[in-house]
Amino acid sequence: ALTQSQGNGMNDVIQLVQGTYRISENNNSRFMYESDEPYGIIIKGGYTSDCSSRVVNPSNTIIDGEGIYQDGFENISPGGYPTSSVLTILNWTLSPYTGIVIDGMTIKNGLSNYAGGLYAGAYYADIDIEHNIISNNSSNGYSEAGGLYVYSEEGILTVADNIIKNNTGIYFAGVNAESNGNGNMVLTNNIVTGNVANNYGGGVSIGSYGGDLYLINNTITGNTASGWFAGGLYLIPESGRIADIYNNII
């Protein structure tokens, strides 16, 4: 479904039926979508076998990397980007009328030298990562994140109601969120725990270089960085922009 959606000239909604989707059943290769078409993609887990109803519970729909190593960096994207996560969703269109939604699944056991669990990246698309469990993923090289790496130039990034736990990385173990343009960034109601970085960025790392930042109602505890700094929260806000940070446990 991901391959067909890349170039079919329309917006796509992928409804994942409850169950486990393994990399070993995909020729030992990560599940990937990469497109430069001006259309969006929505991927939601939790559907019954006939897709007539949905139960929003990330534990019922699992994408399992099985610890099968994925070689992490390909120069097929503008400038070169990591494309080795268990689930890799990229949209490089310059159209602002696109979006990426990943909702209601468990992404686990990824192993890569860049981004282990989930990577969602775009130029202009808004990106929503909601109601997921991202766990037990590892990045053992120059990592973008062991668990979740989310990036956009101009779109709004929303990471909400996720559990991100027990991921490891050389740099950035739990969450690494970056916005290099004017898009705002919202992280709310997430639990980030038990993530371990060898150098820095154990729990949540945020680079907001143009837009406003909202970090609200998150629990970021029990994360460590054994090398340099920022076991819990590593924050780089842009000067002159809004950074609303409240009701968090860190």
Side-chain angles (χ1 to χ4, degrees):
L2 288 173
T3 301
Q4 181 180 357
S5 298
Q6 291 178 140
N8 63 3
M10 63 182 69
N11 293 309
D12 291 283
V13 178
I14 296 176
Q15 299 173 328
L16 292 179
V17 171
Q18 298 172 26
T20 300
Y21 301 83
R22 298 177 177 87
I23 275 187
S24 62
E25 299 167 344
N26 193 49
N27 297 317
N28 287 338
S29 180
R30 74 277 192 262
F31 298 98
M32 182 169 175
Y33 167 98
E34 182 175 33
S35 178
D36 59 4
E37 292 190 334
Y39 303 102
I41 185 167
I42 297 172
I43 306 172
K44 293 185 176 183
Y47 284 91
T48 55
S49 59
D50 61 356
C51 291
S52 62
S53 63
R54 181 181 183 227
V55 178
V56 182
N57 179 350
S59 64
N60 67 28
T61 307
I62 299 168
I63 300 179
D64 191 349
E66 301 178 273
I68 298 173
Y69 182 78
Q70 302 296 301
D71 192 10
F73 199 87
E74 301 178 9
N75 290 316
I76 57 177
S77 306
Y81 286 87
T83 56
S84 61
S85 302
V86 175
L87 181 60
T88 301
I89 306 296
L90 308 174
N91 188 315
W92 302 123
T93 179
L94 298 180
S95 170
Y97 305 110
T98 58
I100 295 171
V101 176
I102 300 171
D103 187 329
M105 64 196 73
T106 293
I107 301 167
K108 69 178 187 176
N109 297 331
L111 177 61
S112 158
N113 62 337
Y114 276 91
L118 169 61
Y119 172 32
Y123 276 157
Y124 282 90
D126 294 341
I127 301 177
D128 295 300
I129 310 295
E130 300 184 2
H131 309 114
N132 303 289
I133 297 172
I134 302 172
S135 65
N136 298 300
N137 301 286
S138 182
S139 175
N140 61 9
Y142 181 79
S143 64
E144 299 293 353
L148 168 63
Y149 177 42
V150 57
Y151 168 88
S152 181
E153 288 282 346
E154 299 289 342
I156 298 171
L157 301 181
T158 301
V159 180
D161 299 296
N162 302 283
I163 298 173
I164 301 166
K165 63 180 182 177
N166 302 332
N167 302 286
T168 61
I170 304 299
Y171 306 90
F172 312 122
V175 180
N176 183 16
E178 294 185 70
S179 175
N180 285 342
N182 295 314
N184 295 336
M185 192 178 301
V186 180
L187 283 82
T188 182
N189 296 324
N190 300 287
I191 298 172
V192 183
T193 186
N195 302 287
V196 178
N198 286 5
N199 284 292
Y200 56 79
V204 175
S205 302
I206 300 173
S208 181
Y209 303 106
D212 298 331
L213 166 64
Y214 302 90
L215 186 69
I216 305 166
N217 294 335
N218 300 282
T219 298
I220 306 170
T221 58
N223 305 285
T224 60
S226 57
W228 297 346
F229 52 81
L233 175 63
Y234 180 32
L235 177 62
I236 308 174
E238 180 71 11
S239 176
R241 304 298 301 189
I242 294 172
D244 277 352
I245 303 173
Y246 59 88
N247 289 347
N248 300 285
I249 300 172
I250 302 175

